[in-house]
C-alpha cells in the first residue's frame, strides 16, 4: 500500500489454520476455513477505516495453514504486503506451535470456532498456551454460543472482539517507526514535557525528534513556507475567525497593527509546524529541499511558555487549527499537537485519535465543582447527571474547534471523522468560536486564544498516560459533557479565564473505588492535563494499552468489555488491575 502522511498503512493478515491430516480431514475443512477467513476480512474492511478515511485492508494467506512451511509462506507474504497484525481462524484442531504466528512485534489474535463437530475451541486453548509459553501474548476469541458445522457467519460477540482487536492493532502499528517532534524543551517545569525517549522507543516504537523553537522563527522570518497558502489562509481567517472581547486591561491591550501582525505570525506558525511534522513539496519547488522533508512526525509538541511566549505570539491558534479536522482548505485529518510540549498528553491524544479517527481535546483538569460550591458561588442547584458535581476542563487554546460540539450524529452533539463533516458543521464550529487577544499576564508576546463552550450530551472519554519511575501507566474516565445555564456558566467560567475554551465534564461514577464520586476521580488524576476523545472508547484504549504493554491503573469500563491477551489470566483473575501490571512487567515493552 502506498504511503501518505500516516506512513505505510498497516494491513491485517488473516491466517486460515487447518488440521493438516490429508486423506479426508483437511479436504473436508478447506472450504469452511477459507470462507471464515473471508468473512473476517469483510467484517474488518466493512467497519474500520484508517485516519485518512480509506478502509482498513486485509490480506488472506495464499493457502490454509496446516504445517510450519505454510505458516512460513504466509509470514513471507505478510511481510511483503505490509501486514502489521494477524488474526488466525479455524473451525477445527490444528497443530498449535507449527501453525502459530511467531513474529514478536506483530499483535495477534486467534478465533477458535465454537462448534461440536470439530474441536476449534481445543485448538484455541492449545495455541494460546503455546503463545503464552513462548512469550508471545495473543488475544483469544471464543464465541458464547455453539455454531453449526459449516456456519461461516461472524456472530455479534465475535465481531465485537475482532473489531476491538483490529482497531487497536492498527493504531499500534500506525505509531511504529514514526516520530514525536519535540519543538522546544520543558515548559514551566511540566514533567510531561521532559520528553522520555525510552517510553516512545520501547513502548510505542517511535523515535523522538527534537528541535529548537527558533526553527519556527527562522522559517517565519526567512519566508520558508508556501506564500500562496499563507495568503489563502489569511483570507480564510479574516472571514471565519471572529474576534471577541479583549480581556486585557486597557494599558495592556495591543494596537490594531500589533493584533494584525499576531494573526500573520499565528498562521505562519501553523504552516511551519505542519511542514516540520510531515514535510511540504512546495518548499522544494522554492529551493528549500532539506526543509521540505519534515520529520516523519505523527505527533508533535510545542513548548511555547515561556521562552517563546514572553516575546512572541503564543501557539494557541497553531495548536487549535492543526488539531482540528478542517482548515482553510476544507476537511482533513487532524495533526495531533500537544501544548506546552506535554509529550505524555500528546501520546494520550494520539491513542484517542488513532482509535476514533477524530479530533481530540487537550485540556487542564482544572477544577472540581461540588454541588455545594456551585450553590455558594452561582446560586444554582445541580441536578441530573451533574448532581454530584463536575470537572472544568480548560486550557489556553489548543483544543480542537471540533470540540464545540456543533457536529451531530443522530441529532446529538458529536465529533466526527473529517470525511463525514458537512460544510454547515464546519461553519457552525467556526461561528461557535471566538478569538481573543491573549492575556498578556500569561502571554507577554501577544497572540490569540480560542473561546468556546462544548455542547452537552456528548459521550466522551478522558485519558492520560503517566510515567512512574520509568514505567508508563494509563488512566481512563468515561463520562459525558454537560451544559450549564448561561448565567451559571458565565459566573464559573469567568473565575478562571474567559478567553479560553471550556468543556464541563461528568465522569461516570459507580459508587466504589476511585469512581465512587466525581471528587475522587479528580483527586486521583495523575497529572495536570488530560486528553478527551468523543465516544466511550475506554475498552478500546485498554486493548491498545495491553498490546503496547502499558498497564491501566484506573478506569470505569465494564468488566465484560475489557479485552486483553489471554495470557493475562495467568497473572491473576480475581484482581484484573493487578494482573495487568504483573503481565505487562513480565512480558515487557512491546519493542524491548
Amino acid at each position: 500500500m502506498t504511503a501518505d502522511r500516516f506512513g505505510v498503512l498497516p494491513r491485517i493478515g488473516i491466517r486460515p489454520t487447518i488440521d493438516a491430516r490429508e486423506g479426508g480431514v483437511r479436504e473436508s475443512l478447506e472450504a469452511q476455513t477459507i470462507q471464515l477467513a473471508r468473512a473476517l476480512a469483510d467484517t474488518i474492511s466493512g467497519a474500520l477505516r484508517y485516519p485518512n478515511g480509506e478502509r482498513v485492508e486485509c490480506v488472506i494467506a495464499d493457502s490454509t495453514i496446516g504445517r510450519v512451511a505454510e505458516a512460513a509462506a504466509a509470514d513471507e507474504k505478510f511481510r511483503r504486503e505490509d501486514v502489521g497484525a494477524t488474526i488466525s481462524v479455524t473451525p477445527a484442531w490444528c497443530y498449535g506451535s507449527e501453525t502459530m504466528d511467531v513474529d514478536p512485534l506483530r499483535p495477534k489474535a486467534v478465533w477458535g470456532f465454537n462448534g461440536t463437530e470439530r474441536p476449534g475451541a481445543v485448538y484455541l486453548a492449545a495455541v494460546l498456551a503455546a503463545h503464552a509459553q513462548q512469550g508471545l501474548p495473543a488475544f483469544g476469541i471464543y464465541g458464547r454460543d455453539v455454531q453449526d458445522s459449516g456456519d461461516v457467519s461472524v456472530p455479534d460477540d465475535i465481531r465485537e472482539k475482532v473489531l476491538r482487536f483490529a482497531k487497536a492493532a492498527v493504531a499500534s502499528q500506525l505509531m511504529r517507526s514514526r516520530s514525536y517532534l519535540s519543538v522546544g524543551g520543558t515548559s514551566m517545569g511540566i514533567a510531561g514535557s521532559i520528553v522520555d525517549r525510552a517510553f516512545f522507543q520501547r513502548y510505542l516504537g517511535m523515535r523522538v525528534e527534537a528541535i529548537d523553537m527558533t526553527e519556527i522563527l527562522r522559517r517565519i522570518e526567512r519566508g520558508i513556507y508556501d506564500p500562496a497558502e499563507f495568503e489563502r489562509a489569511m483570507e480564510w481567517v479574516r472571514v471565519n475567525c471572529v474576534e471577541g472581547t479583549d480581556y486585557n486591561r486597557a494599558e495592556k491591550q495591543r494596537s490594531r497593527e500589533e493584533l494584525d501582525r499576531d494573526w500573520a505570525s499565528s498562521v505562519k506558525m501553523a504552516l511551519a509546524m505542519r511542514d516540520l511534522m510531515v514535510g511540504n513539496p512546495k518548499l522544494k519547488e522554492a529551493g528549500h529541499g532539506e526543509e521540505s522533508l519534515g520529520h516523519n512526525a505523527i505527533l508533535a509538541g510545542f513548548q511555547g511558555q515561556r521562552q517563546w511566549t514572553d516575546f512572541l505570539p503564543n501557539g494557541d491558534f497553531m495548536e487549535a487549527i492543526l488539531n482540528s479536522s478542517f482548515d482553510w482548505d476544507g476537511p482533513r485529518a487532524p495533526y495531533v499537537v500537544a501544548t506546552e510540549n506535554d509529550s505524555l498528553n500528546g501520546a494520550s491524544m494520539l491513542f484517542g485519535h488513532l482509535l476514533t479517527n477524530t479530533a481530540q481535546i487537550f485540556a487542564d483538569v482544572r477544577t472540581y465543582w461540588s454541588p455545594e460550591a456551585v450553590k455558594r458561588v452561582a446560586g444554582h442547584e445541580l441536578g441530573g447527571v451533574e448532581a454530584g458535581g463536575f470537572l472544568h476542563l480548560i486550557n489556553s487554546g489548543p483544543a480542537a474547534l471540533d470540540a464545540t460540539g456543533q457536529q451531530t450524529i443522530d441529532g446529538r452533539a458529536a465529533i466526527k471523522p473529517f470525511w463525514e463533516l458537512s460544510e454547515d458543521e464546519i461553519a457552525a464550529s467556526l461561528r461557535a468560536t471566538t478569538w481573543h487577544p491573549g492575556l498578556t499576564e500569561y502571554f507577554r508576546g501577544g497572540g490569540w486564544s480560542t473561546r468556546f463552550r462544548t455542547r452537552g450530551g456528548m459521550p466522551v472519554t478522558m485519558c492520560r498516560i503517566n510515567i512512574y519511575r520509568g514505567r508508563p501507566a494509563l488512566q481512563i474516565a468515561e463520562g459525558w459533557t454537560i451544559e450549564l445555564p448561561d448565567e451559571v456558566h458565565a459566573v464559573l467560567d469567568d473565575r478562571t479565564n474567559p478567553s479560553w475554551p471550556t468543556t464541563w465534564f461528568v465522569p461516570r461514577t459507580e459508587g466504589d473505588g476511585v469512581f465512587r464520586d466525581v471528587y475522587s476521580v479528580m483527586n486521583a488524576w495523575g497529572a495536570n492535563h488530560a486528553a478527551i476523545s468523543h465516544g466511550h472508547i475506554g475498552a478500546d484504549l485498554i486493548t491498545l494499552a495491553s498490546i503496547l504493554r502499558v498497564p491501566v491503573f484506573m478506569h470505569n469500563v465494564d468488566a465484560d468489555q475489557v479485552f486483553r491477551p489471554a495470557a493475562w489470566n495467568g497473572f491473576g483473575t480475581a484482581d484484573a488491575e493487578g494482573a495487568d501490571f504483573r503481565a505487562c512487567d513480565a512480558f515487557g515493552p512491546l519493542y524491548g
Side-chain angles (χ1 to χ4, degrees), residues 51 139 238 281 391 410 447 479 487 514 545 577:
F139 290 78
R238 283 188 282 269
L391 302 183
D410 297 328
E487 63 277 9
V514 171
E577 183 174 299

Side-chain angles (χ1 to χ4, degrees), residues 4 59 82 165 193 226 287 300 310 342 384 411 420 422 426 435 486 566 588:
D4 64 3
V59 177
D82 303 317
F165 166 78
S193 61
D226 180 356
D310 274 4
D342 186 346
E420 295 181 5
S422 68
I426 293 174
W435 297 86
D486 290 347

Side-chain angles (χ1 to χ4, degrees), residues 190-212:
I190 294 172
S193 61
I194 304 172
V195 182
D196 190 321
R197 291 173 177 266
F199 162 69
F200 279 96
Q201 179 180 335
R202 299 178 68 213
Y203 287 90
L204 308 186
M206 295 173 59
R207 71 169 71 203
V208 173
E209 290 279 287
I211 63 173
D212 195 89

Side-chain angles (χ1 to χ4, degrees), residues 234-508:
M234 285 298 298
E235 179 59 28
W236 182 86
V237 164
R238 283 188 282 269
V239 172
N240 293 287
C241 295
V242 178
E243 294 183 15
T245 303
D246 188 342
Y247 291 101
N248 287 291
R249 300 190 305 273
E251 67 274 15
K252 292 287 188 178
Q253 291 182 1
R254 296 165 73 80
S255 68
R256 183 69 252 174
E257 182 181 3
E258 289 174 311
L259 294 174
D260 289 341
R261 283 203 304 268
D262 287 352
W263 272 125
S265 294
S266 296
V267 170
K268 291 174 183 177
M269 287 173 69
L271 297 179
M273 175 63 89
R274 182 205 62 199
D275 293 349
L276 281 163
M277 290 179 70
V278 301
N280 186 346
K282 291 289 185 181
L283 300 185
K284 187 173 184 178
E285 295 173 13
H288 304 292
E290 183 180 358
E291 290 87 347
S292 72
L293 296 175
H295 287 265
N296 192 40
I298 196 171
L299 171 66
F302 179 68
Q303 176 196 331
Q305 298 185 77
R306 288 184 41 202
Q307 284 75 13
W308 179 281
T309 56
D310 274 4
F311 80 108
L312 291 167
N314 64 31
D316 285 9
F317 174 83
M318 170 187 70
E319 294 160 358
I321 201 64
L322 289 178
N323 277 310
S324 298
S325 298
F326 54 85
D327 60 17
W328 38 88
D329 288 328
R332 48 102 176 112
Y335 297 86
V336 184
V337 181
T339 196
E340 293 160 352
N341 199 27
D342 186 346
S343 61
L344 297 180
N345 213 58
S348 306
M349 293 170 70
L350 184 60
F351 283 13
H353 171 57
L354 295 179
L355 290 170
T356 65
N357 298 325
T358 61
Q360 305 295 294
I361 305 173
F362 182 114
D364 277 356
V365 185
R366 181 62 70 101
T367 309
Y368 164 67
W369 278 101
S370 68
E372 295 77 13
V374 173
K375 175 69 173 177
R376 176 178 61 83
V377 171
H380 177 67
E381 294 275 1
L382 294 179
V385 69
E386 66 267 28
F390 51 85
L391 302 183
H392 192 182
L393 308 179
I394 182 172
N395 200 288
S396 60
L401 304 191
D402 306 67
T404 56
Q406 297 300 312
Q407 303 160 23
T408 59
I409 297 175
D410 297 328
R412 297 181 59 186
I415 300 176
K416 302 195 296 191
F418 76 91
W419 61 84
E420 295 181 5
L421 295 186
S422 68
E423 291 184 6
D424 288 343
E425 288 172 323
I426 293 174
S429 300
L430 290 164
R431 287 195 301 271
T433 304
T434 49
W435 297 86
H436 302 258
L439 295 184
T440 52
E441 63 189 62
Y442 283 99
F443 307 121
R444 297 174 184 174
W448 293 92
S449 294
T450 51
R451 183 187 191 188
F452 58 75
R453 178 176 17 159
T454 303
R455 287 177 63 193
M458 282 202 299
V460 294
T461 302
M462 182 170 78
C463 77
R464 167 76 189 194
I465 298 169
N466 300 295
I467 291 181
Y468 300 91
R469 197 173 175 82
R471 181 176 65 183
L474 176 68
Q475 55 187 158
I476 299 166
E478 294 183 341
W480 299 269
T481 63
I482 63 165
E483 289 185 29
L484 300 174
D486 290 347
E487 63 277 9
V488 178
H489 166 81
V491 170
L492 303 189
D493 203 44
D494 285 354
R495 289 172 66 99
T496 300
N497 190 318
S499 68
W500 295 351
T502 278
T503 302
W504 304 111
F505 171 65
V506 177
R508 184 177 64 245

Side-chain angles (χ1 to χ4, degrees), residues 1 6 8-13 44 48-52 54-58 82-87 107-108 162-176 298 350-351 353-355 357 543-544 547-548 591:
M1 180 177 289
F6 290 97
V8 176
L9 300 174
R11 292 163 162 163
I12 301 290
I44 293 169
L48 301 183
R49 292 178 184 260
Y50 299 111
N52 67 358
E54 295 179 15
R55 293 195 179 278
V56 170
E57 292 188 3
C58 295
D82 303 317
V83 166
T86 62
I87 304 178
K108 48 189 64 63
V162 164
L163 294 181
R164 180 151 293 144
F165 166 78
K167 187 186 303 181
V170 167
S172 73
Q173 297 303 294
L174 282 166
M175 291 184 280
R176 186 177 175 184
I298 196 171
L350 184 60
F351 283 13
H353 171 57
L354 295 179
L355 290 170
N357 298 325
T543 296
L544 173 58
I547 288 174
L548 302 171
Y591 301 101

